[in-house]
mmCIF file of all heavy atoms in Angstrom:
data_model
loop_
_atom_site.group_PDB
_atom_site.id
_atom_site.type_symbol
_atom_site.label_atom_id
_atom_site.label_comp_id
_atom_site.label_asym_id
_atom_site.label_seq_id
_atom_site.Cartn_x
_atom_site.Cartn_y
_atom_site.Cartn_z
ATOM 1 N N CYS T 1397 -20.166 181.892 -182.179
ATOM 2 C CA CYS T 1397 -21.261 181.899 -181.177
ATOM 3 C C CYS T 1397 -20.952 180.962 -180.012
ATOM 4 O O CYS T 1397 -20.682 179.822 -180.140
ATOM 5 C CB CYS T 1397 -22.567 181.322 -181.814
ATOM 6 S SG CYS T 1397 -23.958 181.522 -180.818
ATOM 7 N N ASP T 1398 -21.089 181.572 -178.816
ATOM 8 C CA ASP T 1398 -20.954 180.845 -177.537
ATOM 9 C C ASP T 1398 -22.124 181.234 -176.644
ATOM 10 O O ASP T 1398 -21.895 181.293 -175.362
ATOM 11 C CB ASP T 1398 -19.558 181.113 -176.924
ATOM 12 C CG ASP T 1398 -19.385 182.600 -176.559
ATOM 13 O OD1 ASP T 1398 -20.265 183.369 -176.825
ATOM 14 O OD2 ASP T 1398 -18.396 182.835 -175.950
ATOM 15 N N ILE T 1399 -23.246 181.595 -177.227
ATOM 16 C CA ILE T 1399 -24.266 182.140 -176.365
ATOM 17 C C ILE T 1399 -24.965 181.140 -175.422
ATOM 18 O O ILE T 1399 -25.451 181.406 -174.514
ATOM 19 C CB ILE T 1399 -25.353 182.920 -177.335
ATOM 20 C CG1 ILE T 1399 -26.174 183.904 -176.499
ATOM 21 C CG2 ILE T 1399 -26.270 181.890 -177.937
ATOM 22 C CD1 ILE T 1399 -25.409 185.177 -176.322
ATOM 23 N N CYS T 1400 -24.835 179.812 -175.877
ATOM 24 C CA CYS T 1400 -25.412 178.795 -175.043
ATOM 25 C C CYS T 1400 -24.226 177.733 -174.734
ATOM 26 O O CYS T 1400 -23.157 177.795 -175.418
ATOM 27 C CB CYS T 1400 -26.664 178.178 -175.615
ATOM 28 S SG CYS T 1400 -26.327 176.823 -176.734
ATOM 29 N N PRO T 1401 -24.588 176.783 -173.920
ATOM 30 C CA PRO T 1401 -23.542 175.838 -173.551
ATOM 31 C C PRO T 1401 -23.079 174.924 -174.655
ATOM 32 O O PRO T 1401 -21.992 174.236 -174.573
ATOM 33 C CB PRO T 1401 -24.164 175.011 -172.346
ATOM 34 C CG PRO T 1401 -25.271 175.838 -171.855
ATOM 35 C CD PRO T 1401 -25.700 176.685 -173.007
ATOM 36 N N ARG T 1402 -23.670 174.906 -175.834
ATOM 37 C CA ARG T 1402 -23.173 174.112 -176.883
ATOM 38 C C ARG T 1402 -21.880 174.660 -177.455
ATOM 39 O O ARG T 1402 -21.118 173.863 -177.926
ATOM 40 C CB ARG T 1402 -24.251 174.240 -178.194
ATOM 41 C CG ARG T 1402 -25.570 173.561 -177.798
ATOM 42 C CD ARG T 1402 -25.733 172.175 -178.257
ATOM 43 N NE ARG T 1402 -26.981 171.595 -177.807
ATOM 44 C CZ ARG T 1402 -27.157 170.350 -177.514
ATOM 45 N NH1 ARG T 1402 -26.188 169.511 -177.571
ATOM 46 N NH2 ARG T 1402 -28.317 169.961 -177.171
ATOM 47 N N ASN T 1403 -21.731 175.992 -177.300
ATOM 48 C CA ASN T 1403 -20.494 176.572 -177.664
ATOM 49 C C ASN T 1403 -20.081 176.114 -179.024
ATOM 50 O O ASN T 1403 -18.941 175.689 -179.239
ATOM 51 C CB ASN T 1403 -19.459 176.261 -176.623
ATOM 52 C CG ASN T 1403 -18.278 177.274 -176.626
ATOM 53 O OD1 ASN T 1403 -18.297 178.253 -177.449
ATOM 54 N ND2 ASN T 1403 -17.253 176.968 -175.844
ATOM 55 N N CYS T 1404 -20.922 176.246 -180.045
ATOM 56 C CA CYS T 1404 -20.692 175.724 -181.331
ATOM 57 C C CYS T 1404 -19.522 176.408 -182.037
ATOM 58 O O CYS T 1404 -18.901 175.907 -183.035
ATOM 59 C CB CYS T 1404 -21.919 175.922 -182.237
ATOM 60 S SG CYS T 1404 -23.393 175.107 -181.714
ATOM 61 N N SER T 1405 -19.229 177.715 -181.714
ATOM 62 C CA SER T 1405 -18.106 178.396 -182.295
ATOM 63 C C SER T 1405 -18.384 178.652 -183.770
ATOM 64 O O SER T 1405 -17.386 178.749 -184.567
ATOM 65 C CB SER T 1405 -16.742 177.753 -182.055
ATOM 66 O OG SER T 1405 -16.424 178.010 -180.765
ATOM 67 N N VAL T 1406 -19.563 178.698 -184.197
ATOM 68 C CA VAL T 1406 -19.822 179.037 -185.659
ATOM 69 C C VAL T 1406 -19.966 180.580 -185.857
ATOM 70 O O VAL T 1406 -20.488 181.137 -184.840
ATOM 71 C CB VAL T 1406 -21.036 178.282 -186.262
ATOM 72 C CG1 VAL T 1406 -20.832 176.707 -186.248
ATOM 73 C CG2 VAL T 1406 -22.350 178.658 -185.517
ATOM 74 N N ARG T 1408 -22.383 182.885 -187.057
ATOM 75 C CA ARG T 1408 -23.828 182.924 -187.433
ATOM 76 C C ARG T 1408 -24.119 183.899 -188.471
ATOM 77 O O ARG T 1408 -25.271 183.895 -188.960
ATOM 78 C CB ARG T 1408 -24.725 182.910 -186.132
ATOM 79 C CG ARG T 1408 -24.654 181.628 -185.357
ATOM 80 C CD ARG T 1408 -25.408 181.707 -184.119
ATOM 81 N NE ARG T 1408 -26.826 181.945 -184.208
ATOM 82 C CZ ARG T 1408 -27.636 182.167 -183.173
ATOM 83 N NH1 ARG T 1408 -27.212 182.156 -181.946
ATOM 84 N NH2 ARG T 1408 -29.022 182.441 -183.405
ATOM 85 N N CYS T 1412 -25.320 178.310 -189.566
ATOM 86 C CA CYS T 1412 -26.132 177.963 -188.350
ATOM 87 C C CYS T 1412 -25.431 177.005 -187.543
ATOM 88 O O CYS T 1412 -24.656 176.147 -187.916
ATOM 89 C CB CYS T 1412 -27.473 177.278 -188.828
ATOM 90 S SG CYS T 1412 -28.407 178.358 -189.882
ATOM 91 N N GLY T 1413 -25.757 177.138 -186.159
ATOM 92 C CA GLY T 1413 -25.174 176.182 -185.137
ATOM 93 C C GLY T 1413 -26.178 175.068 -184.920
ATOM 94 O O GLY T 1413 -27.055 174.801 -185.657
ATOM 95 N N PHE T 1414 -25.969 174.437 -183.715
ATOM 96 C CA PHE T 1414 -26.817 173.226 -183.398
ATOM 97 C C PHE T 1414 -28.311 173.768 -183.227
ATOM 98 O O PHE T 1414 -29.197 172.989 -183.605
ATOM 99 C CB PHE T 1414 -26.369 172.711 -182.008
ATOM 100 C CG PHE T 1414 -27.063 171.468 -181.604
ATOM 101 C CD1 PHE T 1414 -26.704 170.249 -181.927
ATOM 102 C CD2 PHE T 1414 -28.241 171.643 -180.786
ATOM 103 C CE1 PHE T 1414 -27.366 169.102 -181.553
ATOM 104 C CE2 PHE T 1414 -29.059 170.529 -180.395
ATOM 105 C CZ PHE T 1414 -28.533 169.285 -180.765
ATOM 106 N N CYS T 1415 -28.507 175.018 -182.849
ATOM 107 C CA CYS T 1415 -29.818 175.459 -182.729
ATOM 108 C C CYS T 1415 -30.583 175.610 -184.194
ATOM 109 O O CYS T 1415 -31.769 175.888 -184.075
ATOM 110 C CB CYS T 1415 -29.821 176.839 -182.056
ATOM 111 S SG CYS T 1415 -28.818 178.078 -182.838
ATOM 112 N N GLY T 1416 -29.830 175.563 -185.162
ATOM 113 C CA GLY T 1416 -30.543 175.560 -186.524
ATOM 114 C C GLY T 1416 -30.667 177.002 -186.934
ATOM 115 O O GLY T 1416 -31.352 177.245 -188.009
ATOM 116 N N GLN T 1417 -30.169 178.026 -186.264
ATOM 117 C CA GLN T 1417 -30.542 179.417 -186.620
ATOM 118 C C GLN T 1417 -29.235 180.194 -186.920
ATOM 119 O O GLN T 1417 -28.263 180.088 -186.326
ATOM 120 C CB GLN T 1417 -31.297 180.086 -185.500
ATOM 121 C CG GLN T 1417 -32.597 179.382 -185.215
ATOM 122 C CD GLN T 1417 -33.493 179.205 -186.430
ATOM 123 O OE1 GLN T 1417 -33.750 180.195 -187.078
ATOM 124 N NE2 GLN T 1417 -33.940 177.939 -186.768
ATOM 125 N N ASN T 1454 -31.856 175.074 -178.797
ATOM 126 C CA ASN T 1454 -30.520 174.557 -178.568
ATOM 127 C C ASN T 1454 -30.496 173.159 -177.853
ATOM 128 O O ASN T 1454 -29.459 172.734 -177.561
ATOM 129 C CB ASN T 1454 -29.648 175.590 -177.892
ATOM 130 C CG ASN T 1454 -30.214 175.835 -176.512
ATOM 131 O OD1 ASN T 1454 -31.337 175.606 -176.174
ATOM 132 N ND2 ASN T 1454 -29.365 176.229 -175.567
ATOM 133 N N SER T 1500 -33.365 181.474 -175.954
ATOM 134 C CA SER T 1500 -31.966 181.419 -175.554
ATOM 135 C C SER T 1500 -30.999 181.747 -176.774
ATOM 136 O O SER T 1500 -29.958 182.486 -176.597
ATOM 137 C CB SER T 1500 -31.559 180.157 -174.936
ATOM 138 O OG SER T 1500 -32.536 179.860 -173.959
ATOM 139 N N HIS T 1501 -31.266 181.081 -177.832
ATOM 140 C CA HIS T 1501 -30.323 181.217 -178.977
ATOM 141 C C HIS T 1501 -30.365 182.495 -179.654
ATOM 142 O O HIS T 1501 -29.588 182.829 -180.589
ATOM 143 C CB HIS T 1501 -30.425 180.008 -180.046
ATOM 144 C CG HIS T 1501 -31.891 179.826 -180.475
ATOM 145 N ND1 HIS T 1501 -32.909 179.452 -179.538
ATOM 146 C CD2 HIS T 1501 -32.494 179.965 -181.614
ATOM 147 C CE1 HIS T 1501 -34.010 179.353 -180.159
ATOM 148 N NE2 HIS T 1501 -33.823 179.735 -181.370
HETATM 149 S S1 LIG J 1196 -26.917 179.538 -179.652
HETATM 150 FE FE1 LIG J 1196 -26.916 177.990 -181.399
HETATM 151 S S2 LIG J 1196 -25.064 178.417 -182.469
HETATM 152 FE FE2 LIG J 1196 -24.891 179.483 -180.487
HETATM 153 S S3 LIG J 1196 -23.725 178.011 -179.162
HETATM 154 FE FE3 LIG J 1196 -25.864 177.746 -178.901
HETATM 155 S S4 LIG J 1196 -26.593 176.093 -180.306
HETATM 156 FE FE4 LIG J 1196 -24.600 176.840 -181.053
#
Side-chain angles (χ1 to χ4, degrees):
C1397 187
D1398 62 355
I1399 204 76
C1400 89
R1402 296 269 174 209
N1403 200 4
C1404 299
S1405 287
V1406 294
R1408 286 174 63 185
C1412 298
F1414 184 90
C1415 56
Q1417 300 306 304
N1454 65 337
S1500 313
H1501 50 294

